[in-house]
Amino acid sequence: MEFEQEEPVSPTGLYMSSSALSLTTLGFLEFQVPIDDFQVFDLIKDLFLPINPRFSSKMAEDDTGLKIWKRVEVDLQDHVKIPEFPQADSEVYDEYVDEYVRDISMQALPRTRPLWEIHVIKYKTSNAAATIIFKLHQALGDGYSLIGALLSTLKRADNPCLPLTFPSRQSTSKVNRNNNLNNLLKRVTKGFSGIVDTVRDFGSFLLRGEDDITPIRSGDQGVQFQQLEYCTLTFSLDQIKQVKDMLKVTVNDLIMGTILYGIRVYMKGEKHESAKAASTAMLLFNTRDAEGGYNSVSEMVKRDSAMPWGNQITATHVHVPQLTTNSNIQNFVLKIHEETQSKKNSSAIYLTALFIDGVRKFKGSEAAARFIHSDIRKSSLVVSNLIGPMEQMALADHPIKGLYFTFSGAPLSLAINVISYMGNLRVAIASEKGFIDQPKLKSCIQESFDTIFESLLQ
């Protein structure tokens, strides 16, 4: 490991742990078998703590007032929680677990110790025989870093000696390399359109107003302090790949377009005029070249790592297309594809990062965090997407049935987080309790995927 004993907190780490913004990632491991025989504390001591010095460090200040990661002695009793529930009326404890997750998502991690907790739920639910929840502050690292850290503690269930593999995100389109003139013209055209897209996108970032108030956006001040409730949906990755090939879009565009179509249908069902309301989705991007999956943590922490540890993320905004009488889900997906392609051709995200860094340098990290908070709050929802392993994983020879993640603390009423695992896509929905009708929203997204599968795969 190449971290110093007292490593400075990164600018993004400061934003994520400021008075204006405090984000926490929740990672869920669902087990296929009971874990009553788990030696929890030994596993955490031997597998989790050695992953990265930040898991044994608290955020502190040095003599100059600089925020640093300071190594401390970790008392596992403070970090490991094993809840006990009353006797349930049935064999499953879904209601107790759901309430427990809602509660822990609202509780701030104490700054007097390392910023993580592990919750070991040994009760059966409808999804798993047992569940372990990793609660990790985003100041420790972004989703790629934190999920990568979790994966480094796990092995393939079929053969622990073999490496985990990950689905490819490469495009299936082919370039005709023989027509040099045609390719040159395409590059020139793309370069010019990239300049136009950059000016447009960065200008929109600086000048954009708030989204309309809708059934998915309350717009309330302090919405980040409202309780969230969580649910998930599961879809076949093979079916998604078949449909994306037929529509000639990317996997991410298909997932995004289908989810947003379901959300727009929900909005219209709750309030008819919101079908055409101004709504945007904030998309989070990993800026690393993570095509091959996850590097080991020992590789991530190297100073010259191509896929370094930390917060290497940026964001862009995509308009949620309006729902009209002529709308259909395929056109909806194609509109999302068209907009995301133009975003990829734009350098506005880099200008945005430079702008925020300029705010930090001239006005301080708290001012930069307030700006980021305001930008998030103007949006209607946030969406993030990670890839997971193709093979089943195991922890201490206990096979893991399901894997997903979500987060809390964002000033929004709705967040969608997506991850693949074992050939399936898991979509996690975090929505404001009492404001969004989560069962109805979940049903609309499910019907959206069913519709596009049935229309193109039959």
mmCIF file of all heavy atoms in Angstrom, residues 208-245:
data_model
loop_
_atom_site.group_PDB
_atom_site.id
_atom_site.type_symbol
_atom_site.label_atom_id
_atom_site.label_comp_id
_atom_site.label_asym_id
_atom_site.label_seq_id
_atom_site.Cartn_x
_atom_site.Cartn_y
_atom_site.Cartn_z
ATOM 1 N N ARG A 208 -28.976 26.614 -16.288
ATOM 2 C CA ARG A 208 -30.206 25.844 -16.125
ATOM 3 C C ARG A 208 -30.908 26.175 -14.812
ATOM 4 O O ARG A 208 -30.288 26.448 -13.789
ATOM 5 C CB ARG A 208 -29.920 24.344 -16.224
ATOM 6 C CG ARG A 208 -29.401 23.680 -14.965
ATOM 7 C CD ARG A 208 -29.057 22.226 -15.252
ATOM 8 N NE ARG A 208 -28.813 21.482 -14.028
ATOM 9 C CZ ARG A 208 -29.704 20.690 -13.456
ATOM 10 N NH1 ARG A 208 -30.896 20.537 -13.995
ATOM 11 N NH2 ARG A 208 -29.423 20.034 -12.341
ATOM 12 N N GLY A 209 -32.254 26.144 -14.885
ATOM 13 C CA GLY A 209 -33.060 26.363 -13.696
ATOM 14 C C GLY A 209 -33.489 25.043 -13.081
ATOM 15 O O GLY A 209 -33.040 23.972 -13.484
ATOM 16 N N GLU A 210 -34.379 25.138 -12.115
ATOM 17 C CA GLU A 210 -34.854 23.939 -11.454
ATOM 18 C C GLU A 210 -35.872 23.203 -12.325
ATOM 19 O O GLU A 210 -36.600 23.807 -13.110
ATOM 20 C CB GLU A 210 -35.524 24.295 -10.119
ATOM 21 C CG GLU A 210 -34.578 24.806 -9.052
ATOM 22 C CD GLU A 210 -35.269 24.952 -7.708
ATOM 23 O OE1 GLU A 210 -36.395 24.412 -7.554
ATOM 24 O OE2 GLU A 210 -34.700 25.597 -6.816
ATOM 25 N N ASP A 211 -35.908 21.892 -12.169
ATOM 26 C CA ASP A 211 -36.970 21.101 -12.788
ATOM 27 C C ASP A 211 -38.325 21.479 -12.182
ATOM 28 O O ASP A 211 -38.403 22.032 -11.074
ATOM 29 C CB ASP A 211 -36.730 19.607 -12.552
ATOM 30 C CG ASP A 211 -35.672 19.029 -13.478
ATOM 31 O OD1 ASP A 211 -35.095 19.783 -14.287
ATOM 32 O OD2 ASP A 211 -35.410 17.815 -13.382
ATOM 33 N N ASP A 212 -39.377 21.142 -12.916
ATOM 34 C CA ASP A 212 -40.727 21.367 -12.394
ATOM 35 C C ASP A 212 -40.984 20.482 -11.174
ATOM 36 O O ASP A 212 -40.395 19.414 -11.016
ATOM 37 C CB ASP A 212 -41.769 21.044 -13.474
ATOM 38 C CG ASP A 212 -41.739 22.026 -14.626
ATOM 39 O OD1 ASP A 212 -41.234 23.150 -14.443
ATOM 40 O OD2 ASP A 212 -42.213 21.662 -15.725
ATOM 41 N N ILE A 213 -41.893 20.949 -10.332
ATOM 42 C CA ILE A 213 -42.374 20.119 -9.221
ATOM 43 C C ILE A 213 -43.313 19.063 -9.807
ATOM 44 O O ILE A 213 -44.260 19.388 -10.523
ATOM 45 C CB ILE A 213 -43.120 20.960 -8.172
ATOM 46 C CG1 ILE A 213 -42.206 22.067 -7.636
ATOM 47 C CG2 ILE A 213 -43.624 20.074 -7.038
ATOM 48 C CD1 ILE A 213 -40.943 21.568 -6.978
ATOM 49 N N THR A 214 -43.032 17.807 -9.537
ATOM 50 C CA THR A 214 -43.792 16.708 -10.123
ATOM 51 C C THR A 214 -43.995 15.609 -9.082
ATOM 52 O O THR A 214 -43.469 15.710 -7.964
ATOM 53 C CB THR A 214 -43.038 16.105 -11.334
ATOM 54 O OG1 THR A 214 -41.833 15.483 -10.868
ATOM 55 C CG2 THR A 214 -42.702 17.175 -12.369
ATOM 56 N N PRO A 215 -44.681 14.534 -9.438
ATOM 57 C CA PRO A 215 -44.841 13.415 -8.498
ATOM 58 C C PRO A 215 -43.540 12.696 -8.137
ATOM 59 O O PRO A 215 -43.551 11.838 -7.243
ATOM 60 C CB PRO A 215 -45.787 12.467 -9.253
ATOM 61 C CG PRO A 215 -46.592 13.357 -10.138
ATOM 62 C CD PRO A 215 -45.622 14.397 -10.584
ATOM 63 N N ILE A 216 -42.411 13.017 -8.804
ATOM 64 C CA ILE A 216 -41.135 12.425 -8.401
ATOM 65 C C ILE A 216 -40.167 13.466 -7.855
ATOM 66 O O ILE A 216 -39.047 13.137 -7.461
ATOM 67 C CB ILE A 216 -40.450 11.669 -9.562
ATOM 68 C CG1 ILE A 216 -40.078 12.628 -10.694
ATOM 69 C CG2 ILE A 216 -41.318 10.523 -10.055
ATOM 70 C CD1 ILE A 216 -39.104 12.032 -11.710
ATOM 71 N N ARG A 217 -40.584 14.720 -7.829
ATOM 72 C CA ARG A 217 -39.713 15.788 -7.303
ATOM 73 C C ARG A 217 -40.527 16.728 -6.427
ATOM 74 O O ARG A 217 -41.332 17.516 -6.928
ATOM 75 C CB ARG A 217 -39.062 16.574 -8.443
ATOM 76 C CG ARG A 217 -38.124 17.668 -7.948
ATOM 77 C CD ARG A 217 -37.428 18.418 -9.071
ATOM 78 N NE ARG A 217 -36.491 19.383 -8.514
ATOM 79 C CZ ARG A 217 -36.810 20.654 -8.213
ATOM 80 N NH1 ARG A 217 -38.033 21.115 -8.474
ATOM 81 N NH2 ARG A 217 -35.908 21.454 -7.671
ATOM 82 N N SER A 218 -40.299 16.631 -5.128
ATOM 83 C CA SER A 218 -41.030 17.494 -4.202
ATOM 84 C C SER A 218 -40.463 18.913 -4.205
ATOM 85 O O SER A 218 -41.205 19.877 -3.999
ATOM 86 C CB SER A 218 -40.964 16.928 -2.779
ATOM 87 O OG SER A 218 -39.637 16.984 -2.270
ATOM 88 N N GLY A 219 -39.133 19.034 -4.429
ATOM 89 C CA GLY A 219 -38.502 20.349 -4.421
ATOM 90 C C GLY A 219 -38.363 20.958 -3.049
ATOM 91 O O GLY A 219 -37.973 22.131 -2.911
ATOM 92 N N ASP A 220 -38.658 20.188 -2.007
ATOM 93 C CA ASP A 220 -38.604 20.719 -0.643
ATOM 94 C C ASP A 220 -37.168 20.985 -0.211
ATOM 95 O O ASP A 220 -36.250 20.237 -0.546
ATOM 96 C CB ASP A 220 -39.237 19.736 0.342
ATOM 97 C CG ASP A 220 -40.723 19.564 0.120
ATOM 98 O OD1 ASP A 220 -41.335 20.453 -0.522
ATOM 99 O OD2 ASP A 220 -41.279 18.551 0.580
ATOM 100 N N GLN A 221 -36.984 22.070 0.548
ATOM 101 C CA GLN A 221 -35.699 22.283 1.199
ATOM 102 C C GLN A 221 -35.511 21.197 2.258
ATOM 103 O O GLN A 221 -36.446 20.845 2.962
ATOM 104 C CB GLN A 221 -35.661 23.665 1.852
ATOM 105 C CG GLN A 221 -35.678 24.829 0.865
ATOM 106 C CD GLN A 221 -34.361 24.966 0.105
ATOM 107 O OE1 GLN A 221 -33.347 24.401 0.509
ATOM 108 N NE2 GLN A 221 -34.385 25.709 -0.996
ATOM 109 N N GLY A 222 -34.306 20.680 2.369
ATOM 110 C CA GLY A 222 -34.056 19.633 3.351
ATOM 111 C C GLY A 222 -34.590 18.283 2.967
ATOM 112 O O GLY A 222 -34.763 17.404 3.820
ATOM 113 N N VAL A 223 -34.845 18.063 1.669
ATOM 114 C CA VAL A 223 -35.384 16.771 1.227
ATOM 115 C C VAL A 223 -34.412 15.637 1.547
ATOM 116 O O VAL A 223 -34.822 14.481 1.737
ATOM 117 C CB VAL A 223 -35.713 16.816 -0.288
ATOM 118 C CG1 VAL A 223 -34.442 16.972 -1.117
ATOM 119 C CG2 VAL A 223 -36.472 15.572 -0.719
ATOM 120 N N GLN A 224 -33.114 15.955 1.660
ATOM 121 C CA GLN A 224 -32.126 14.915 1.966
ATOM 122 C C GLN A 224 -32.295 14.343 3.368
ATOM 123 O O GLN A 224 -31.730 13.288 3.688
ATOM 124 C CB GLN A 224 -30.693 15.455 1.809
ATOM 125 C CG GLN A 224 -30.300 16.542 2.797
ATOM 126 C CD GLN A 224 -30.584 17.943 2.265
ATOM 127 O OE1 GLN A 224 -31.502 18.144 1.479
ATOM 128 N NE2 GLN A 224 -29.781 18.892 2.688
ATOM 129 N N PHE A 225 -33.083 15.038 4.208
ATOM 130 C CA PHE A 225 -33.317 14.547 5.568
ATOM 131 C C PHE A 225 -34.616 13.751 5.681
ATOM 132 O O PHE A 225 -34.948 13.252 6.755
ATOM 133 C CB PHE A 225 -33.341 15.716 6.550
ATOM 134 C CG PHE A 225 -32.075 16.541 6.536
ATOM 135 C CD1 PHE A 225 -32.092 17.869 6.136
ATOM 136 C CD2 PHE A 225 -30.863 15.968 6.885
ATOM 137 C CE1 PHE A 225 -30.930 18.624 6.116
ATOM 138 C CE2 PHE A 225 -29.689 16.718 6.863
ATOM 139 C CZ PHE A 225 -29.725 18.044 6.475
ATOM 140 N N GLN A 226 -35.348 13.633 4.563
ATOM 141 C CA GLN A 226 -36.572 12.842 4.569
ATOM 142 C C GLN A 226 -36.236 11.353 4.469
ATOM 143 O O GLN A 226 -35.263 10.972 3.825
ATOM 144 C CB GLN A 226 -37.483 13.255 3.401
ATOM 145 C CG GLN A 226 -37.935 14.709 3.444
ATOM 146 C CD GLN A 226 -38.731 15.025 4.680
ATOM 147 O OE1 GLN A 226 -39.615 14.254 5.073
ATOM 148 N NE2 GLN A 226 -38.413 16.148 5.321
ATOM 149 N N GLN A 227 -37.045 10.528 5.106
ATOM 150 C CA GLN A 227 -36.776 9.089 5.100
ATOM 151 C C GLN A 227 -37.016 8.500 3.712
ATOM 152 O O GLN A 227 -37.980 8.846 3.034
ATOM 153 C CB GLN A 227 -37.642 8.379 6.128
ATOM 154 C CG GLN A 227 -37.219 6.936 6.377
ATOM 155 C CD GLN A 227 -37.978 6.299 7.517
ATOM 156 O OE1 GLN A 227 -39.198 6.178 7.465
ATOM 157 N NE2 GLN A 227 -37.264 5.873 8.552
ATOM 158 N N LEU A 228 -36.117 7.599 3.316
ATOM 159 C CA LEU A 228 -36.242 6.898 2.047
ATOM 160 C C LEU A 228 -36.714 5.477 2.287
ATOM 161 O O LEU A 228 -36.520 4.914 3.363
ATOM 162 C CB LEU A 228 -34.892 6.862 1.322
ATOM 163 C CG LEU A 228 -34.260 8.201 0.937
ATOM 164 C CD1 LEU A 228 -32.868 7.972 0.360
ATOM 165 C CD2 LEU A 228 -35.130 8.957 -0.057
ATOM 166 N N GLU A 229 -37.354 4.905 1.276
ATOM 167 C CA GLU A 229 -37.653 3.481 1.301
ATOM 168 C C GLU A 229 -37.058 2.856 0.048
ATOM 169 O O GLU A 229 -36.878 3.524 -0.974
ATOM 170 C CB GLU A 229 -39.152 3.216 1.416
ATOM 171 C CG GLU A 229 -40.023 3.883 0.382
ATOM 172 C CD GLU A 229 -41.501 3.665 0.670
ATOM 173 O OE1 GLU A 229 -41.826 2.859 1.561
ATOM 174 O OE2 GLU A 229 -42.334 4.307 0.005
ATOM 175 N N TYR A 230 -36.732 1.563 0.146
ATOM 176 C CA TYR A 230 -35.935 0.913 -0.887
ATOM 177 C C TYR A 230 -36.632 -0.335 -1.415
ATOM 178 O O TYR A 230 -37.296 -1.062 -0.670
ATOM 179 C CB TYR A 230 -34.562 0.527 -0.331
ATOM 180 C CG TYR A 230 -33.787 1.696 0.228
ATOM 181 C CD1 TYR A 230 -33.910 2.068 1.566
ATOM 182 C CD2 TYR A 230 -32.937 2.437 -0.582
ATOM 183 C CE1 TYR A 230 -33.206 3.147 2.075
ATOM 184 C CE2 TYR A 230 -32.228 3.518 -0.080
ATOM 185 C CZ TYR A 230 -32.371 3.864 1.253
ATOM 186 O OH TYR A 230 -31.671 4.941 1.758
ATOM 187 N N CYS A 231 -36.455 -0.596 -2.708
ATOM 188 C CA CYS A 231 -36.917 -1.847 -3.314
ATOM 189 C C CYS A 231 -36.043 -2.122 -4.534
ATOM 190 O O CYS A 231 -35.283 -1.248 -4.974
ATOM 191 C CB CYS A 231 -38.392 -1.769 -3.709
ATOM 192 S SG CYS A 231 -38.747 -0.640 -5.084
ATOM 193 N N THR A 232 -36.124 -3.331 -5.079
ATOM 194 C CA THR A 232 -35.320 -3.687 -6.252
ATOM 195 C C THR A 232 -36.148 -4.464 -7.263
ATOM 196 O O THR A 232 -37.180 -5.058 -6.926
ATOM 197 C CB THR A 232 -34.094 -4.542 -5.858
ATOM 198 O OG1 THR A 232 -34.538 -5.806 -5.346
ATOM 199 C CG2 THR A 232 -33.239 -3.843 -4.820
ATOM 200 N N LEU A 233 -35.665 -4.447 -8.505
ATOM 201 C CA LEU A 233 -36.214 -5.272 -9.579
ATOM 202 C C LEU A 233 -35.055 -5.994 -10.247
ATOM 203 O O LEU A 233 -33.918 -5.502 -10.242
ATOM 204 C CB LEU A 233 -36.944 -4.433 -10.624
ATOM 205 C CG LEU A 233 -38.118 -3.573 -10.175
ATOM 206 C CD1 LEU A 233 -37.663 -2.128 -10.002
ATOM 207 C CD2 LEU A 233 -39.243 -3.613 -11.201
ATOM 208 N N THR A 234 -35.341 -7.148 -10.853
ATOM 209 C CA THR A 234 -34.303 -7.944 -11.513
ATOM 210 C C THR A 234 -34.721 -8.262 -12.939
ATOM 211 O O THR A 234 -35.867 -8.660 -13.188
ATOM 212 C CB THR A 234 -34.049 -9.258 -10.737
ATOM 213 O OG1 THR A 234 -33.687 -8.941 -9.395
ATOM 214 C CG2 THR A 234 -32.918 -10.046 -11.380
ATOM 215 N N PHE A 235 -33.770 -8.079 -13.890
ATOM 216 C CA PHE A 235 -34.039 -8.343 -15.293
ATOM 217 C C PHE A 235 -32.897 -9.152 -15.897
ATOM 218 O O PHE A 235 -31.763 -9.124 -15.412
ATOM 219 C CB PHE A 235 -34.205 -7.027 -16.069
ATOM 220 C CG PHE A 235 -35.270 -6.136 -15.520
ATOM 221 C CD1 PHE A 235 -34.947 -5.046 -14.728
ATOM 222 C CD2 PHE A 235 -36.610 -6.398 -15.764
ATOM 223 C CE1 PHE A 235 -35.929 -4.223 -14.201
ATOM 224 C CE2 PHE A 235 -37.608 -5.583 -15.240
ATOM 225 C CZ PHE A 235 -37.262 -4.496 -14.463
ATOM 226 N N SER A 236 -33.200 -9.863 -16.981
ATOM 227 C CA SER A 236 -32.211 -10.696 -17.648
ATOM 228 C C SER A 236 -31.275 -9.842 -18.493
ATOM 229 O O SER A 236 -31.722 -9.072 -19.357
ATOM 230 C CB SER A 236 -32.908 -11.724 -18.541
ATOM 231 O OG SER A 236 -31.997 -12.307 -19.448
ATOM 232 N N LEU A 237 -29.970 -9.984 -18.258
ATOM 233 C CA LEU A 237 -28.988 -9.232 -19.037
ATOM 234 C C LEU A 237 -28.951 -9.722 -20.480
ATOM 235 O O LEU A 237 -28.726 -8.934 -21.408
ATOM 236 C CB LEU A 237 -27.614 -9.367 -18.387
ATOM 237 C CG LEU A 237 -26.547 -8.333 -18.748
ATOM 238 C CD1 LEU A 237 -27.053 -6.921 -18.512
ATOM 239 C CD2 LEU A 237 -25.278 -8.581 -17.950
ATOM 240 N N ASP A 238 -29.202 -11.008 -20.697
ATOM 241 C CA ASP A 238 -29.220 -11.534 -22.067
ATOM 242 C C ASP A 238 -30.347 -10.905 -22.880
ATOM 243 O O ASP A 238 -30.165 -10.553 -24.060
ATOM 244 C CB ASP A 238 -29.389 -13.060 -22.051
ATOM 245 C CG ASP A 238 -28.099 -13.783 -21.681
ATOM 246 O OD1 ASP A 238 -27.025 -13.159 -21.800
ATOM 247 O OD2 ASP A 238 -28.166 -14.953 -21.269
ATOM 248 N N GLN A 239 -31.528 -10.782 -22.276
ATOM 249 C CA GLN A 239 -32.645 -10.145 -22.986
ATOM 250 C C GLN A 239 -32.333 -8.691 -23.300
ATOM 251 O O GLN A 239 -32.644 -8.197 -24.392
ATOM 252 C CB GLN A 239 -33.920 -10.242 -22.141
ATOM 253 C CG GLN A 239 -34.548 -11.625 -22.113
ATOM 254 C CD GLN A 239 -35.886 -11.606 -21.392
ATOM 255 O OE1 GLN A 239 -35.998 -11.127 -20.261
ATOM 256 N NE2 GLN A 239 -36.908 -12.126 -22.037
ATOM 257 N N ILE A 240 -31.719 -8.009 -22.346
ATOM 258 C CA ILE A 240 -31.359 -6.605 -22.558
ATOM 259 C C ILE A 240 -30.377 -6.475 -23.716
ATOM 260 O O ILE A 240 -30.510 -5.590 -24.577
ATOM 261 C CB ILE A 240 -30.775 -6.009 -21.261
ATOM 262 C CG1 ILE A 240 -31.894 -5.840 -20.231
ATOM 263 C CG2 ILE A 240 -30.087 -4.668 -21.521
ATOM 264 C CD1 ILE A 240 -31.417 -5.482 -18.848
ATOM 265 N N LYS A 241 -29.406 -7.371 -23.794
ATOM 266 C CA LYS A 241 -28.429 -7.323 -24.879
ATOM 267 C C LYS A 241 -29.082 -7.613 -26.236
ATOM 268 O O LYS A 241 -28.717 -7.001 -27.250
ATOM 269 C CB LYS A 241 -27.302 -8.315 -24.610
ATOM 270 C CG LYS A 241 -26.382 -7.898 -23.463
ATOM 271 C CD LYS A 241 -25.295 -8.933 -23.225
ATOM 272 C CE LYS A 241 -24.345 -8.500 -22.123
ATOM 273 N NZ LYS A 241 -23.291 -9.499 -21.858
ATOM 274 N N GLN A 242 -30.036 -8.536 -26.260
ATOM 275 C CA GLN A 242 -30.740 -8.822 -27.512
ATOM 276 C C GLN A 242 -31.499 -7.600 -28.010
ATOM 277 O O GLN A 242 -31.458 -7.260 -29.195
ATOM 278 C CB GLN A 242 -31.720 -9.990 -27.308
ATOM 279 C CG GLN A 242 -31.060 -11.348 -27.097
ATOM 280 C CD GLN A 242 -32.098 -12.431 -26.857
ATOM 281 O OE1 GLN A 242 -33.031 -12.613 -27.640
ATOM 282 N NE2 GLN A 242 -31.954 -13.154 -25.762
ATOM 283 N N VAL A 243 -32.188 -6.923 -27.095
ATOM 284 C CA VAL A 243 -32.977 -5.747 -27.478
ATOM 285 C C VAL A 243 -32.070 -4.604 -27.915
ATOM 286 O O VAL A 243 -32.344 -3.921 -28.907
ATOM 287 C CB VAL A 243 -33.884 -5.315 -26.310
ATOM 288 C CG1 VAL A 243 -34.550 -3.977 -26.626
ATOM 289 C CG2 VAL A 243 -34.947 -6.370 -26.030
ATOM 290 N N LYS A 244 -30.975 -4.403 -27.200
ATOM 291 C CA LYS A 244 -30.089 -3.284 -27.576
ATOM 292 C C LYS A 244 -29.475 -3.514 -28.962
ATOM 293 O O LYS A 244 -29.261 -2.552 -29.712
ATOM 294 C CB LYS A 244 -29.030 -3.060 -26.495
ATOM 295 C CG LYS A 244 -27.920 -4.083 -26.392
ATOM 296 C CD LYS A 244 -26.664 -3.675 -27.127
ATOM 297 C CE LYS A 244 -25.562 -4.707 -26.941
ATOM 298 N NZ LYS A 244 -24.354 -4.414 -27.741
ATOM 299 N N ASP A 245 -29.200 -4.766 -29.323
ATOM 300 C CA ASP A 245 -28.692 -5.049 -30.666
ATOM 301 C C ASP A 245 -29.741 -4.755 -31.728
ATOM 302 O O ASP A 245 -29.420 -4.249 -32.817
ATOM 303 C CB ASP A 245 -28.240 -6.509 -30.770
ATOM 304 C CG ASP A 245 -26.952 -6.789 -30.013
ATOM 305 O OD1 ASP A 245 -26.209 -5.823 -29.731
ATOM 306 O OD2 ASP A 245 -26.685 -7.966 -29.688
#
